[in-house]
Amino acid sequence: MNEQSKGLLITLIGVLFVVPDSLFVRLISAEALTIAFWRLLLAGGLSVLWFLGTAGTAPFRAVLGTGRYGVIYIAGVGASGVLFVVAVSLTSVANVVFIIASLPVFASLFSRIFLAEPFGIRTWLTIAAVVPGLAIIAYGSGETQGASLAGDLLAFCVSALFAAALTAARHARAVSMVPGVAMGYTLAALVIAPFADPWSMPLDQAPLVLGHGTVILVSSILLAIGPRYITSAEVGLLVLLESVLAPLLAWAVIGEDPGRYALIGGAIVIGALVVSNVVLLLRQRRLTFAKGA
């Protein structure tokens, strides 16, 4: 298996592990902050222990050594992990994952503002298509059972916060930010602990809580490793699978109908991002072929 095939397989498995994330939030009988606490503590705490056992404190010191970029990354990852759970508790799974799929748009905007990276025509066309799709999703929140504008706004915050974290990571690309995920999750769990009620979790929910923490831990590791071997366009296409499969899984398991507005708006957002990533992938392959020739 060559490096590209390895990267595609690892990333695909990572995406498949993250698909049930929002469904677990629905299935666990507890308050949103309590679910977020255990989700982040299990995934983050186990990751911290793994890093300490294999490399000591060096990976954490490397992230913190990047200064404000490391802090932004840790804060963005941790905060988005909390708000994701709250968003899913307030609006439909479809609305959340479709809105979060707009993350590349926020990342492009932040890269333009903070890294002075120019916009190409592809980026402008993608934004022009994604924005109306998001507007349709937001409009439909008043018409769809189980959806709400408050939850949609939190999903926008998740997308923006994680995009900010990725932008900071790009600025400090010489250092692996994977340990920052472990720190961000663990610190976020400790911050919300006083506002959550961790010990109120019913004992019969323990298998779901452990399952939830496990899928987040595995997906976080695989999605940190896989993209090292493939291009950003290939990563973008694979990650979009989660936006398609998560609402279908919620629909199949708990009968959560995403509603026609979410489906229409989501189709526009996903379609625009698929076209954008395919164009980028073809462009990258043409350049690689030209260099090889």
Side-chain angles (χ1 to χ4, degrees), residues 29-59:
S29 300
E31 295 294 325
L33 287 181
T34 299
I35 297 173
F37 171 83
W38 286 113
R39 173 186 188 264
L40 298 174
L41 184 67
L42 287 172
L46 291 175
S47 299
V48 167
L49 292 175
W50 183 82
F51 277 114
L52 289 174
T54 57
T57 60

PDB file of all heavy atoms in Angstrom, residues 29-59:
ATOM      1  N   SER A  29     -28.954  10.060  27.906  1.00  0.00           N
ATOM      2  CA  SER A  29     -29.961  10.778  28.694  1.00  0.00           C
ATOM      3  C   SER A  29     -29.279  11.617  29.773  1.00  0.00           C
ATOM      4  O   SER A  29     -29.100  11.162  30.921  1.00  0.00           O
ATOM      5  CB  SER A  29     -30.939   9.789  29.325  1.00  0.00           C
ATOM      6  OG  SER A  29     -31.607   9.042  28.344  1.00  0.00           O
ATOM      7  N   ALA A  30     -28.879  12.805  29.420  1.00  0.00           N
ATOM      8  CA  ALA A  30     -28.225  13.713  30.370  1.00  0.00           C
ATOM      9  C   ALA A  30     -28.237  15.116  29.781  1.00  0.00           C
ATOM     10  O   ALA A  30     -28.541  15.319  28.597  1.00  0.00           O
ATOM     11  CB  ALA A  30     -26.792  13.268  30.654  1.00  0.00           C
ATOM     12  N   GLU A  31     -27.921  16.098  30.620  1.00  0.00           N
ATOM     13  CA  GLU A  31     -27.827  17.474  30.156  1.00  0.00           C
ATOM     14  C   GLU A  31     -26.648  17.624  29.195  1.00  0.00           C
ATOM     15  O   GLU A  31     -25.659  16.889  29.278  1.00  0.00           O
ATOM     16  CB  GLU A  31     -27.648  18.425  31.343  1.00  0.00           C
ATOM     17  CG  GLU A  31     -28.843  18.475  32.279  1.00  0.00           C
ATOM     18  CD  GLU A  31     -30.070  19.082  31.607  1.00  0.00           C
ATOM     19  OE1 GLU A  31     -29.897  20.004  30.780  1.00  0.00           O
ATOM     20  OE2 GLU A  31     -31.189  18.616  31.899  1.00  0.00           O
ATOM     21  N   ALA A  32     -26.752  18.609  28.312  1.00  0.00           N
ATOM     22  CA  ALA A  32     -25.746  18.799  27.263  1.00  0.00           C
ATOM     23  C   ALA A  32     -24.339  18.986  27.838  1.00  0.00           C
ATOM     24  O   ALA A  32     -23.377  18.374  27.358  1.00  0.00           O
ATOM     25  CB  ALA A  32     -26.119  19.997  26.383  1.00  0.00           C
ATOM     26  N   LEU A  33     -24.206  19.820  28.880  1.00  0.00           N
ATOM     27  CA  LEU A  33     -22.878  20.074  29.441  1.00  0.00           C
ATOM     28  C   LEU A  33     -22.305  18.831  30.124  1.00  0.00           C
ATOM     29  O   LEU A  33     -21.086  18.624  30.133  1.00  0.00           O
ATOM     30  CB  LEU A  33     -22.915  21.245  30.425  1.00  0.00           C
ATOM     31  CG  LEU A  33     -23.061  22.637  29.805  1.00  0.00           C
ATOM     32  CD1 LEU A  33     -23.058  23.710  30.890  1.00  0.00           C
ATOM     33  CD2 LEU A  33     -21.949  22.907  28.794  1.00  0.00           C
ATOM     34  N   THR A  34     -23.176  18.000  30.687  1.00  0.00           N
ATOM     35  CA  THR A  34     -22.706  16.755  31.303  1.00  0.00           C
ATOM     36  C   THR A  34     -22.189  15.800  30.231  1.00  0.00           C
ATOM     37  O   THR A  34     -21.149  15.156  30.399  1.00  0.00           O
ATOM     38  CB  THR A  34     -23.843  16.091  32.096  1.00  0.00           C
ATOM     39  OG1 THR A  34     -24.272  16.986  33.126  1.00  0.00           O
ATOM     40  CG2 THR A  34     -23.388  14.781  32.716  1.00  0.00           C
ATOM     41  N   ILE A  35     -22.915  15.721  29.115  1.00  0.00           N
ATOM     42  CA  ILE A  35     -22.454  14.894  27.992  1.00  0.00           C
ATOM     43  C   ILE A  35     -21.130  15.426  27.465  1.00  0.00           C
ATOM     44  O   ILE A  35     -20.183  14.659  27.214  1.00  0.00           O
ATOM     45  CB  ILE A  35     -23.509  14.878  26.865  1.00  0.00           C
ATOM     46  CG1 ILE A  35     -24.805  14.234  27.351  1.00  0.00           C
ATOM     47  CG2 ILE A  35     -22.968  14.132  25.640  1.00  0.00           C
ATOM     48  CD1 ILE A  35     -25.946  14.335  26.353  1.00  0.00           C
ATOM     49  N   ALA A  36     -21.051  16.749  27.305  1.00  0.00           N
ATOM     50  CA  ALA A  36     -19.817  17.359  26.794  1.00  0.00           C
ATOM     51  C   ALA A  36     -18.645  17.085  27.735  1.00  0.00           C
ATOM     52  O   ALA A  36     -17.525  16.808  27.285  1.00  0.00           O
ATOM     53  CB  ALA A  36     -20.013  18.861  26.613  1.00  0.00           C
ATOM     54  N   PHE A  37     -18.902  17.150  29.040  1.00  0.00           N
ATOM     55  CA  PHE A  37     -17.835  16.912  30.017  1.00  0.00           C
ATOM     56  C   PHE A  37     -17.236  15.518  29.832  1.00  0.00           C
ATOM     57  O   PHE A  37     -16.018  15.362  29.705  1.00  0.00           O
ATOM     58  CB  PHE A  37     -18.372  17.058  31.439  1.00  0.00           C
ATOM     59  CG  PHE A  37     -17.403  16.627  32.502  1.00  0.00           C
ATOM     60  CD1 PHE A  37     -16.420  17.497  32.958  1.00  0.00           C
ATOM     61  CD2 PHE A  37     -17.459  15.336  33.043  1.00  0.00           C
ATOM     62  CE1 PHE A  37     -15.505  17.088  33.932  1.00  0.00           C
ATOM     63  CE2 PHE A  37     -16.549  14.924  34.018  1.00  0.00           C
ATOM     64  CZ  PHE A  37     -15.570  15.813  34.452  1.00  0.00           C
ATOM     65  N   TRP A  38     -18.076  14.484  29.803  1.00  0.00           N
ATOM     66  CA  TRP A  38     -17.572  13.127  29.693  1.00  0.00           C
ATOM     67  C   TRP A  38     -16.978  12.868  28.316  1.00  0.00           C
ATOM     68  O   TRP A  38     -15.977  12.155  28.185  1.00  0.00           O
ATOM     69  CB  TRP A  38     -18.688  12.125  30.005  1.00  0.00           C
ATOM     70  CG  TRP A  38     -19.010  12.044  31.458  1.00  0.00           C
ATOM     71  CD1 TRP A  38     -20.161  12.425  32.075  1.00  0.00           C
ATOM     72  CD2 TRP A  38     -18.151  11.551  32.494  1.00  0.00           C
ATOM     73  NE1 TRP A  38     -20.085  12.216  33.430  1.00  0.00           N
ATOM     74  CE2 TRP A  38     -18.859  11.670  33.720  1.00  0.00           C
ATOM     75  CE3 TRP A  38     -16.863  11.026  32.518  1.00  0.00           C
ATOM     76  CZ2 TRP A  38     -18.315  11.283  34.932  1.00  0.00           C
ATOM     77  CZ3 TRP A  38     -16.313  10.636  33.733  1.00  0.00           C
ATOM     78  CH2 TRP A  38     -17.034  10.767  34.918  1.00  0.00           C
ATOM     79  N   ARG A  39     -17.586  13.412  27.276  1.00  0.00           N
ATOM     80  CA  ARG A  39     -17.052  13.259  25.904  1.00  0.00           C
ATOM     81  C   ARG A  39     -15.633  13.784  25.809  1.00  0.00           C
ATOM     82  O   ARG A  39     -14.734  13.129  25.285  1.00  0.00           O
ATOM     83  CB  ARG A  39     -17.975  14.011  24.946  1.00  0.00           C
ATOM     84  CG  ARG A  39     -17.506  14.113  23.489  1.00  0.00           C
ATOM     85  CD  ARG A  39     -18.477  15.010  22.743  1.00  0.00           C
ATOM     86  NE  ARG A  39     -18.255  15.051  21.311  1.00  0.00           N
ATOM     87  CZ  ARG A  39     -17.546  15.978  20.696  1.00  0.00           C
ATOM     88  NH1 ARG A  39     -16.948  16.942  21.413  1.00  0.00           N
ATOM     89  NH2 ARG A  39     -17.398  15.974  19.376  1.00  0.00           N
ATOM     90  N   LEU A  40     -15.429  14.985  26.334  1.00  0.00           N
ATOM     91  CA  LEU A  40     -14.120  15.624  26.230  1.00  0.00           C
ATOM     92  C   LEU A  40     -13.116  15.049  27.219  1.00  0.00           C
ATOM     93  O   LEU A  40     -11.929  14.900  26.897  1.00  0.00           O
ATOM     94  CB  LEU A  40     -14.262  17.132  26.445  1.00  0.00           C
ATOM     95  CG  LEU A  40     -15.127  17.863  25.417  1.00  0.00           C
ATOM     96  CD1 LEU A  40     -15.317  19.319  25.806  1.00  0.00           C
ATOM     97  CD2 LEU A  40     -14.509  17.771  24.031  1.00  0.00           C
ATOM     98  N   LEU A  41     -13.590  14.723  28.439  1.00  0.00           N
ATOM     99  CA  LEU A  41     -12.664  14.198  29.440  1.00  0.00           C
ATOM    100  C   LEU A  41     -12.120  12.831  29.021  1.00  0.00           C
ATOM    101  O   LEU A  41     -10.912  12.567  29.155  1.00  0.00           O
ATOM    102  CB  LEU A  41     -13.357  14.082  30.794  1.00  0.00           C
ATOM    103  CG  LEU A  41     -12.435  13.632  31.943  1.00  0.00           C
ATOM    104  CD1 LEU A  41     -11.387  14.699  32.244  1.00  0.00           C
ATOM    105  CD2 LEU A  41     -13.249  13.324  33.189  1.00  0.00           C
ATOM    106  N   LEU A  42     -12.983  11.963  28.514  1.00  0.00           N
ATOM    107  CA  LEU A  42     -12.527  10.634  28.109  1.00  0.00           C
ATOM    108  C   LEU A  42     -11.578  10.718  26.921  1.00  0.00           C
ATOM    109  O   LEU A  42     -10.479  10.141  26.948  1.00  0.00           O
ATOM    110  CB  LEU A  42     -13.729   9.753  27.766  1.00  0.00           C
ATOM    111  CG  LEU A  42     -14.573   9.273  28.951  1.00  0.00           C
ATOM    112  CD1 LEU A  42     -15.840   8.585  28.465  1.00  0.00           C
ATOM    113  CD2 LEU A  42     -13.757   8.323  29.825  1.00  0.00           C
ATOM    114  N   ALA A  43     -11.988  11.446  25.877  1.00  0.00           N
ATOM    115  CA  ALA A  43     -11.140  11.546  24.687  1.00  0.00           C
ATOM    116  C   ALA A  43      -9.849  12.306  24.985  1.00  0.00           C
ATOM    117  O   ALA A  43      -8.755  11.887  24.604  1.00  0.00           O
ATOM    118  CB  ALA A  43     -11.908  12.226  23.550  1.00  0.00           C
ATOM    119  N   GLY A  44      -9.975  13.442  25.681  1.00  0.00           N
ATOM    120  CA  GLY A  44      -8.807  14.261  25.971  1.00  0.00           C
ATOM    121  C   GLY A  44      -7.907  13.646  27.012  1.00  0.00           C
ATOM    122  O   GLY A  44      -6.678  13.610  26.851  1.00  0.00           O
ATOM    123  N   GLY A  45      -8.503  13.147  28.102  1.00  0.00           N
ATOM    124  CA  GLY A  45      -7.709  12.583  29.188  1.00  0.00           C
ATOM    125  C   GLY A  45      -6.914  11.364  28.759  1.00  0.00           C
ATOM    126  O   GLY A  45      -5.732  11.225  29.096  1.00  0.00           O
ATOM    127  N   LEU A  46      -7.546  10.468  27.996  1.00  0.00           N
ATOM    128  CA  LEU A  46      -6.839   9.280  27.514  1.00  0.00           C
ATOM    129  C   LEU A  46      -5.716   9.663  26.558  1.00  0.00           C
ATOM    130  O   LEU A  46      -4.644   9.039  26.560  1.00  0.00           O
ATOM    131  CB  LEU A  46      -7.817   8.316  26.843  1.00  0.00           C
ATOM    132  CG  LEU A  46      -8.818   7.628  27.767  1.00  0.00           C
ATOM    133  CD1 LEU A  46      -9.818   6.799  26.972  1.00  0.00           C
ATOM    134  CD2 LEU A  46      -8.086   6.735  28.782  1.00  0.00           C
ATOM    135  N   SER A  47      -5.948  10.689  25.728  1.00  0.00           N
ATOM    136  CA  SER A  47      -4.910  11.159  24.806  1.00  0.00           C
ATOM    137  C   SER A  47      -3.734  11.742  25.572  1.00  0.00           C
ATOM    138  O   SER A  47      -2.570  11.495  25.230  1.00  0.00           O
ATOM    139  CB  SER A  47      -5.477  12.222  23.855  1.00  0.00           C
ATOM    140  OG  SER A  47      -6.523  11.707  23.070  1.00  0.00           O
ATOM    141  N   VAL A  48      -4.027  12.513  26.615  1.00  0.00           N
ATOM    142  CA  VAL A  48      -2.958  13.097  27.441  1.00  0.00           C
ATOM    143  C   VAL A  48      -2.117  11.984  28.062  1.00  0.00           C
ATOM    144  O   VAL A  48      -0.876  12.039  28.051  1.00  0.00           O
ATOM    145  CB  VAL A  48      -3.551  14.003  28.541  1.00  0.00           C
ATOM    146  CG1 VAL A  48      -2.486  14.347  29.580  1.00  0.00           C
ATOM    147  CG2 VAL A  48      -4.099  15.291  27.929  1.00  0.00           C
ATOM    148  N   LEU A  49      -2.782  10.962  28.599  1.00  0.00           N
ATOM    149  CA  LEU A  49      -2.054   9.849  29.224  1.00  0.00           C
ATOM    150  C   LEU A  49      -1.188   9.121  28.201  1.00  0.00           C
ATOM    151  O   LEU A  49      -0.057   8.708  28.503  1.00  0.00           O
ATOM    152  CB  LEU A  49      -3.043   8.878  29.870  1.00  0.00           C
ATOM    153  CG  LEU A  49      -3.798   9.399  31.097  1.00  0.00           C
ATOM    154  CD1 LEU A  49      -4.829   8.378  31.573  1.00  0.00           C
ATOM    155  CD2 LEU A  49      -2.827   9.747  32.231  1.00  0.00           C
ATOM    156  N   TRP A  50      -1.709   8.969  26.988  1.00  0.00           N
ATOM    157  CA  TRP A  50      -0.943   8.291  25.940  1.00  0.00           C
ATOM    158  C   TRP A  50       0.312   9.085  25.585  1.00  0.00           C
ATOM    159  O   TRP A  50       1.402   8.517  25.470  1.00  0.00           O
ATOM    160  CB  TRP A  50      -1.817   8.101  24.709  1.00  0.00           C
ATOM    161  CG  TRP A  50      -1.119   7.332  23.615  1.00  0.00           C
ATOM    162  CD1 TRP A  50      -0.993   5.974  23.514  1.00  0.00           C
ATOM    163  CD2 TRP A  50      -0.437   7.884  22.490  1.00  0.00           C
ATOM    164  NE1 TRP A  50      -0.279   5.650  22.387  1.00  0.00           N
ATOM    165  CE2 TRP A  50       0.077   6.791  21.738  1.00  0.00           C
ATOM    166  CE3 TRP A  50      -0.221   9.173  22.044  1.00  0.00           C
ATOM    167  CZ2 TRP A  50       0.798   6.969  20.558  1.00  0.00           C
ATOM    168  CZ3 TRP A  50       0.510   9.352  20.871  1.00  0.00           C
ATOM    169  CH2 TRP A  50       1.013   8.271  20.139  1.00  0.00           C
ATOM    170  N   PHE A  51       0.167  10.396  25.430  1.00  0.00           N
ATOM    171  CA  PHE A  51       1.327  11.236  25.114  1.00  0.00           C
ATOM    172  C   PHE A  51       2.345  11.204  26.246  1.00  0.00           C
ATOM    173  O   PHE A  51       3.557  11.098  26.011  1.00  0.00           O
ATOM    174  CB  PHE A  51       0.896  12.675  24.838  1.00  0.00           C
ATOM    175  CG  PHE A  51       0.418  12.912  23.438  1.00  0.00           C
ATOM    176  CD1 PHE A  51      -0.905  13.250  23.194  1.00  0.00           C
ATOM    177  CD2 PHE A  51       1.278  12.806  22.366  1.00  0.00           C
ATOM    178  CE1 PHE A  51      -1.359  13.464  21.902  1.00  0.00           C
ATOM    179  CE2 PHE A  51       0.847  13.017  21.061  1.00  0.00           C
ATOM    180  CZ  PHE A  51      -0.480  13.341  20.829  1.00  0.00           C
ATOM    181  N   LEU A  52       1.870  11.303  27.475  1.00  0.00           N
ATOM    182  CA  LEU A  52       2.781  11.285  28.617  1.00  0.00           C
ATOM    183  C   LEU A  52       3.528   9.951  28.703  1.00  0.00           C
ATOM    184  O   LEU A  52       4.724   9.906  29.042  1.00  0.00           O
ATOM    185  CB  LEU A  52       2.003  11.517  29.918  1.00  0.00           C
ATOM    186  CG  LEU A  52       1.458  12.935  30.139  1.00  0.00           C
ATOM    187  CD1 LEU A  52       0.592  12.972  31.394  1.00  0.00           C
ATOM    188  CD2 LEU A  52       2.596  13.952  30.244  1.00  0.00           C
ATOM    189  N   GLY A  53       2.833   8.859  28.385  1.00  0.00           N
ATOM    190  CA  GLY A  53       3.455   7.550  28.463  1.00  0.00           C
ATOM    191  C   GLY A  53       4.443   7.273  27.345  1.00  0.00           C
ATOM    192  O   GLY A  53       5.385   6.496  27.531  1.00  0.00           O
ATOM    193  N   THR A  54       4.224   7.883  26.183  1.00  0.00           N
ATOM    194  CA  THR A  54       5.082   7.590  25.032  1.00  0.00           C
ATOM    195  C   THR A  54       6.160   8.647  24.786  1.00  0.00           C
ATOM    196  O   THR A  54       7.226   8.331  24.264  1.00  0.00           O
ATOM    197  CB  THR A  54       4.238   7.464  23.754  1.00  0.00           C
ATOM    198  OG1 THR A  54       3.476   8.674  23.550  1.00  0.00           O
ATOM    199  CG2 THR A  54       3.285   6.270  23.859  1.00  0.00           C
ATOM    200  N   ALA A  55       5.886   9.896  25.126  1.00  0.00           N
ATOM    201  CA  ALA A  55       6.856  10.964  24.809  1.00  0.00           C
ATOM    202  C   ALA A  55       7.057  11.959  25.940  1.00  0.00           C
ATOM    203  O   ALA A  55       7.763  12.958  25.763  1.00  0.00           O
ATOM    204  CB  ALA A  55       6.407  11.702  23.542  1.00  0.00           C
ATOM    205  N   GLY A  56       6.431  11.730  27.086  1.00  0.00           N
ATOM    206  CA  GLY A  56       6.576  12.671  28.186  1.00  0.00           C
ATOM    207  C   GLY A  56       5.859  13.983  27.911  1.00  0.00           C
ATOM    208  O   GLY A  56       4.846  14.022  27.204  1.00  0.00           O
ATOM    209  N   THR A  57       6.395  15.054  28.437  1.00  0.00           N
ATOM    210  CA  THR A  57       5.748  16.373  28.284  1.00  0.00           C
ATOM    211  C   THR A  57       6.222  17.127  27.049  1.00  0.00           C
ATOM    212  O   THR A  57       5.715  18.210  26.758  1.00  0.00           O
ATOM    213  CB  THR A  57       6.024  17.237  29.523  1.00  0.00           C
ATOM    214  OG1 THR A  57       7.442  17.423  29.665  1.00  0.00           O
ATOM    215  CG2 THR A  57       5.470  16.578  30.785  1.00  0.00           C
ATOM    216  N   ALA A  58       7.176  16.568  26.323  1.00  0.00           N
ATOM    217  CA  ALA A  58       7.747  17.275  25.168  1.00  0.00           C
ATOM    218  C   ALA A  58       6.703  17.708  24.133  1.00  0.00           C
ATOM    219  O   ALA A  58       6.747  18.851  23.649  1.00  0.00           O
ATOM    220  CB  ALA A  58       8.826  16.413  24.512  1.00  0.00           C
ATOM    221  N   PRO A  59       5.731  16.842  23.744  1.00  0.00           N
ATOM    222  CA  PRO A  59       4.744  17.269  22.748  1.00  0.00           C
ATOM    223  C   PRO A  59       3.910  18.469  23.220  1.00  0.00           C
ATOM    224  O   PRO A  59       3.595  19.359  22.426  1.00  0.00           O
ATOM    225  CB  PRO A  59       3.860  16.030  22.568  1.00  0.00           C
ATOM    226  CG  PRO A  59       4.710  14.890  23.017  1.00  0.00           C
ATOM    227  CD  PRO A  59       5.535  15.432  24.124  1.00  0.00           C
TER     228      PRO A  59
END
